[in-house]
Amino acid sequence: MKSRSSIHNQENILPLSFFDRPTLVVAQELLGKALVHETKQKKLYLIIQEVEAYDGPHDKASHAHRGTTPRNAVMFDEAGHWYLYLVYGMHWMLNITTGPKGYPAAILIRGGYTPEGTLIVGPGKLTKYLDLNCPHNTLPATKKLGLWIEDRGMIIHPKDIIRKKRIGVDYAKEWKDKLYNFSFLL
DNA sequence: ACGATGATGAAC
DNA sequence: TTCATCATCGTA
């Protein structure tokens, strides 16, 4: 039984145990969950529609495959933490870390439905819509610190999950064709 | 098809 | 300290 306040707040924040599982499993289960950004001014959310897995130390598409650096260190740490970084000098990428401590993995959140049902396509557009940038980098997603993921009971049936190659990782040799991109359509 | 735009990491 | 690279996007 959930606590009374949890029900009243309509909040069911995904716990660390959700993220501390195989990355490909977590990636698929993130579809249909609500990504919430709350500040003093406003509360924004999207229903996660497209994700992409970066899994383990050998994945050549992953920032982690050359070992730990100041930027990617959070990928090696505990699951359920945000990894936010800038690409092309202008776009913020939002990732959530997965797997046990010491195992570098994360899931890039690439698309989502707005409350009005508009599909936001692309990780840079998604962070711009939610007004996200560096402040949340490395913070836990499993506490009420302004950015978290909620289960609102939406179920995406496995047969409705579209599985594709990852985008923008053609340099990743034998890892570039892995079907680590997951999405669904309403 | 390409330029914007700046952090990152590896080489030197 | 320099330099190539980049989990992208808007304009053409």
Side-chain angles (χ1 to χ4, degrees), chain A residues 32 47 49 113-114 117-119 154 156 184-186:
Chain A
I47 301 300
Q49 182 272 337
Y113 288 105
T114 68
T118 304
L119 181 56
M154 184 174 184
I156 308 299
F184 74 97
L185 293 171
L186 241 31

Side-chain angles (χ1 to χ4, degrees), chain A residues 76-163:
Chain A
F76 290 81
D77 215 315
E78 211 171 33
H81 287 65
W82 297 114
Y83 175 35
L84 265 153
Y85 68 92
L86 191 65
V87 270
Y88 300 109
M90 56 185 95
H91 302 296
W92 288 94
M93 301 291 103
L94 176 66
N95 300 253
I96 180 78
T97 65
T98 58
K101 190 164 182 164
Y103 183 84
I107 295 163
L108 173 65
I109 303 178
R110 294 189 55 95
Y113 288 105
T114 68
E116 296 76 33
T118 304
L119 181 56
I120 304 285
V121 185
K125 286 161 65 174
L126 183 141
T127 54
K128 188 175 179 200
Y129 176 87
L130 289 174
D131 194 20
L132 293 172
N133 46 45
C134 50
H136 290 97
N137 187 32
T138 76
L139 293 181
T142 49
K143 297 173 182 167
K144 207 173 172 185
L145 292 177
L147 183 62
W148 64 83
I149 302 175
E150 292 174 20
D151 185 351
R152 295 186 180 174
M154 184 174 184
I155 307 289
I156 308 299
H157 195 279
K159 72 171 167 46
D160 294 326
I161 295 178
I162 303 160
R163 195 164 175 174

Side-chain angles (χ1 to χ4, degrees), chain A residues 12-13 15 18 24 31 33 60 69 71 73 117 121 124 126 139 151 157 164:
Chain A
N12 200 352
I13 299 178
F18 178 92
L24 298 184
L31 297 175
K33 301 294 191 291
K60 288 193 169 76
T69 67
R71 181 177 67 166
V121 185
L126 183 141
L139 293 181
D151 185 351
H157 195 279
K164 298 181 178 177

